[in-house]
Amino acid sequence: MPASDDAARLRKQGYRLTPQRLIVLDVVKRGEGHLTADEVHAAVVPQHPYINIATIYRTLQWLQDVGLVAPLAIGTGPLRYEYVWGETHHHLVCQDCGYEQEIGDDILLALKEQLQSRYAFSAQLHHLAIPGRCSACQQNTDSKDARPAQEHDV
Amino acid sequence: MPASDDAARLRKQGYRLTPQRLIVLDVVKRGEGHLTADEVHAAVVPQHPYINIATIYRTLQWLQDVGLVAPLAIGTGPLRYEYVWGETHHHLVCQDCGYEQEIGDDILLALKEQLQSRYAFSAQLHHLAIPGRCSACQQNTDSKDARPAQEHDV
DNA sequence: ATCTATGCAAATAATTTGCACAGCA
DNA sequence: TGCTGTGCAAATTATTTGCATAGAT
C-alpha cells in the first residue's frame, strides 16, 4: 500500500496535499513503533528543514481526521501516533523490557461479543496497547517491588 | 474499607501520613469517575486551602507507588486517577454520550488466558477503559459528523 | 484567483523541580 | 530532633492558537 495510494485517495476526496503532509504521513507510516509529535518532527526535519512543530501537530490531527493515523494512549507521557493499516491490530507491551509484539484483532473478538451480549455495549477497540510481561521477563522470577517502605524504582 | 484502614496500613509500612495525603486519598476514593490532578486539587482546596498543585501531583505519584490509585489513560488530555479498590474492574465508556459503566474483571479472564497460551504473555489489565457505544447510542443510527469527504468512526 | 495550510511566535496546558521551612514520627 | 513532605515559584514539557503569507488546486 504505497503512500501514493493514500495520496490519490485524499486528493480525490478534496483534501489539499502539501509536501509537509506527505512527509509526515510517510514518517508515521514507516516509523516502527509509535512516535510522539516530537519524534515525528525530528524525523521530518532532515527532509523538510523549516517545518514547524505546530504543523506536525496540525498534520497529525488531520491525519487522524482522515483516518490514516491513530493516537495510542500508552499510559503516561506525550501522545503517540501510529499509521493505521488496513487491518486492526493491537500490541503487547512488556513493562519490564519494553518489548512490543503486534497481535491480530481476532483475539479480541470474543471479548467484543461478550460485551455486546452482556452489556449491549459495542466496543471500539481499534488499537489497544496491552501491558504485561513477556515470556522472558516472566521467568526472571524477580522479587520486585518487595518494597521495604521506601525507595521507589522509577 | 474506610480510609483509616489504608491509613493504618501505610503508617505500619513506615510511610508518613500528612493531612494532605489523607485528604487527597479521600478525594480520589470518593470521587466518582476519574479525576485529573486539577480536579483533585479543586476538590481538596475547600478542606485544605493552601495545598499546592505540585503537592497533588507528588501525592498522586506516591499513591500510585503504594498501590492505592492508578492512572487511567483515557486517550487524549491529562491523566486521570482512580482509587484502586480491592477487586480489579474496568470501564465501558460511551464515546457518544459519555456514559460510563463499571464491569468486573472476569470478562477479561478468557482474553488473558489466550494471551498467555498463544503469546506466552502475561497481561496486566488492572484497569481498562474500553471505548465504544452504549446500547442507547447504538440505536441512534446517527449520521454523526458527516464529513464532506467520507466519515470514520472514531 | 481562491482558499487552505504553513511558519513563526506567543499563549495555554500539564507536569516537574529546587529550595527553604513546616511538621510527622 | 531528624528527615521527609510541603508550599512557592520557576522551569520544563506538551499542545494550541492568531495572524500574515506561501502555496496547492
Side-chain angles (χ1 to χ4, degrees):
Chain A
M1 190 189 291
S4 46
D5 251 31
D6 290 328
R9 196 193 101 214
L10 292 171
R11 202 184 312 269
K12 196 173 306 178
Q13 291 179 1
Y15 293 110
R16 226 170 251 202
L17 294 186
T18 63
Q20 289 90 333
R21 288 184 169 181
L22 293 174
I23 297 175
V24 168
L25 175 56
D26 186 59
V27 163
V28 175
K29 188 183 285 190
R30 68 175 68 255
E32 6 181 316
H34 320 93
L35 303 170
T36 64
D38 235 26
E39 288 163 353
V40 172
H41 183 234
V44 170
V45 161
Q47 302 163 68
H48 203 93
Y50 291 104
I51 197 169
N52 193 274
I53 184 68
T55 299
I56 301 292
Y57 277 104
R58 281 187 285 225
T59 303
L60 287 172
Q61 183 59 60
W62 174 75
L63 286 169
Q64 283 179 64
D65 290 343
V66 300
L68 285 177
V69 314
L72 188 65
I74 205 145
T76 191
L79 275 183
R80 296 179 164 275
Y81 300 84
E82 190 192 40
Y83 183 73
V84 174
W85 298 92
E87 48 173 326
T88 310
H89 64 273
H90 310 277
H91 300 264
L92 305 178
V93 184
C94 180
Q95 299 181 306
D96 287 352
C97 67
Y99 175 74
E100 288 197 17
Q101 177 170 9
E102 217 170 82
I103 64 173
D105 187 47
D106 55 307
I107 207 167
L108 291 180
L109 270 184
L111 173 63
K112 288 182 187 174
E113 280 166 12
Q114 277 208 48
L115 290 174
Q116 183 67 64
S117 63
R118 278 168 62 174
Y119 301 99
F121 187 84
S122 161
Q124 304 280 306
L125 297 171
H126 293 309
H127 199 207
L128 199 58
I130 301 176
R133 317 263 298 280
C134 69
S135 54
C137 290
Q138 281 178 64
Q139 283 162 22
N140 303 358
T141 320
D142 69 274
S143 51
K144 36 176 341 190
D145 57 8
R147 193 167 289 126
Q150 57 172 73
E151 134 191 358
H152 307 283
D153 47 305
V154 180
Chain B
M1 189 189 292
S4 45
D5 251 29
D6 290 327
R9 197 195 98 213
L10 293 170
R11 202 184 312 269
K12 196 172 304 177
Q13 292 179 2
Y15 293 109
R16 225 171 252 199
L17 294 186
T18 62
Q20 289 90 333
R21 289 184 168 181
L22 293 173
I23 297 174
V24 167
L25 175 57
D26 187 58
V27 163
V28 175
K29 187 181 286 189
R30 67 175 69 254
E32 8 181 314
H34 320 93
L35 303 171
T36 64
D38 235 27
E39 288 163 353
V40 172
H41 183 233
V44 170
V45 162
Q47 301 164 66
H48 204 93
Y50 291 105
I51 197 168
N52 193 273
I53 184 68
T55 299
I56 302 292
Y57 278 104
R58 282 187 284 226
T59 303
L60 286 172
Q61 183 60 60
W62 174 76
L63 286 169
Q64 283 179 65
D65 291 342
V66 299
L68 285 177
V69 314
L72 188 64
I74 206 146
T76 192
L79 275 183
R80 296 178 165 276
Y81 300 85
E82 190 192 40
Y83 183 73
V84 175
W85 298 91
E87 48 173 327
T88 310
H89 64 274
H90 310 276
H91 301 264
L92 305 178
V93 184
C94 180
Q95 298 182 306
D96 287 353
C97 67
Y99 175 75
E100 288 196 18
Q101 177 170 9
E102 217 170 82
I103 64 173
D105 188 45
D106 55 306
I107 206 166
L108 291 180
L109 270 184
L111 173 64
K112 288 182 187 174
E113 280 166 13
Q114 278 208 47
L115 290 174
Q116 182 67 63
S117 63
R118 278 168 63 173
Y119 301 99
F121 186 86
S122 162
Q124 304 281 306
L125 297 170
H126 293 310
H127 201 206
L128 198 59
I130 301 176
R133 319 261 299 279
C134 69
S135 53
C137 289
Q138 282 177 64
Q139 284 162 21
N140 304 357
T141 322
D142 72 270
S143 47
K144 25 176 355 188
D145 49 6
R147 198 172 290 122
Q150 57 176 85
E151 63 187 62
H152 305 279
D153 47 306
V154 182

